[in-house]
Amino acid sequence: MATERPSKSAQKRAAQAIRALADELVSLKPALVGKVVADEDVASAVREAQAINSHGALRRQKQYIARRLRDVDVDAIRDALNALQADDKQDKRLFRAAEQLRDALLSEPAQTQSLLDAAGVSTSEELHDTLRRYASASDTRTRKQAARSVFRQLYAAMSATPPLDLKTNQD
């Protein structure tokens, strides 16, 4: 008996998925290509595609990448891309949480310690000094500089130990 092979539609869907993966790889930052793609031939083809400006040449290079991807484990590449995207989402949530905490701290200076405790952020004397500098500043420029400094300090502290309620701020 003849073995069942995938239908022509299934073959086309698989080919389109590999072309889409090739497009995604080309759109990555050059520093991340080596982390996502283990096969050096595919990685070098992706780096070459990232340097191409001509539309037609880029299209052909993407076709070449797709052809090379048929010979490697694309599931491992997809897993690595998904992990990068998850990290990116986590960073965005952390950034948003730090912004919200900064805004709350600047608008309610009397609640500083309770807000920081609720967010699970360890405080430093530098943060308190920056908050005092923000509160006592009379000109806009100094207030903006202090607000940026508060954000940087909060983001660094929250990156070291993510707050407990970070999961509730999902996309």
Side-chain angles (χ1 to χ4, degrees):
M1 293 256 162
T3 60
E4 287 277 327
R5 58 180 214 192
S7 67
K8 193 167 186 174
S9 297
Q11 290 174 351
K12 285 182 180 181
R13 281 192 297 273
Q16 287 173 343
I18 287 182
R19 280 194 300 272
L21 182 61
D23 287 343
E24 231 178 310
L25 290 174
V26 171
S27 68
L28 281 177
K29 292 180 181 175
L32 297 176
V33 172
K35 294 179 181 180
V36 174
V37 181
D39 186 71
E40 190 52 42
D41 291 338
V42 175
S44 65
V46 169
R47 286 189 204 98
E48 288 174 22
Q50 291 173 334
I52 295 174
N53 292 328
S54 170
H55 176 73
L58 180 59
R59 184 182 54 79
R60 286 188 300 276
Q61 185 68 14
K62 286 180 182 178
Q63 287 175 337
Y64 173 73
I65 293 168
R67 190 167 57 244
R68 300 294 301 159
L69 283 172
R70 289 186 216 130
D71 300 332
V72 297
D73 182 20
V74 293
D75 291 334
I77 294 172
R78 284 193 180 109
D79 290 343
L81 280 173
N82 289 339
L84 278 177
Q85 290 169 347
D87 289 345
D88 188 44
K89 284 183 181 180
Q90 180 68 18
D91 286 342
K92 287 179 182 178
R93 278 188 232 118
L94 182 63
F95 191 91
R96 198 173 318 122
E99 281 182 325
Q100 291 170 350
L101 182 57
R102 177 209 51 208
D103 294 343
L105 287 172
L106 297 180
S107 65
E108 301 174 27
Q111 303 284 330
T112 299
Q113 195 56 48
S114 61
L115 288 169
L116 291 170
D117 291 341
V121 176
S122 61
T123 61
S124 67
E125 190 59 38
E126 183 183 1
L127 177 63
H128 289 292
D129 289 343
T130 308
L131 288 169
R132 281 192 287 274
R133 187 172 40 139
Y134 176 84
S136 66
S138 59
D139 63 335
T140 307
R141 182 175 179 215
T142 306
R143 290 178 72 88
K144 283 183 180 181
Q145 288 174 342
R148 284 189 207 110
S149 180
V150 167
F151 172 78
R152 282 192 297 271
Q153 292 171 33
L154 288 173
Y155 186 77
M158 294 170 84
S159 296
T161 56
L164 302 174
D165 64 333
L166 189 59
K167 294 180 182 111
T168 60
N169 295 333
Q170 291 183 5
D171 299 270

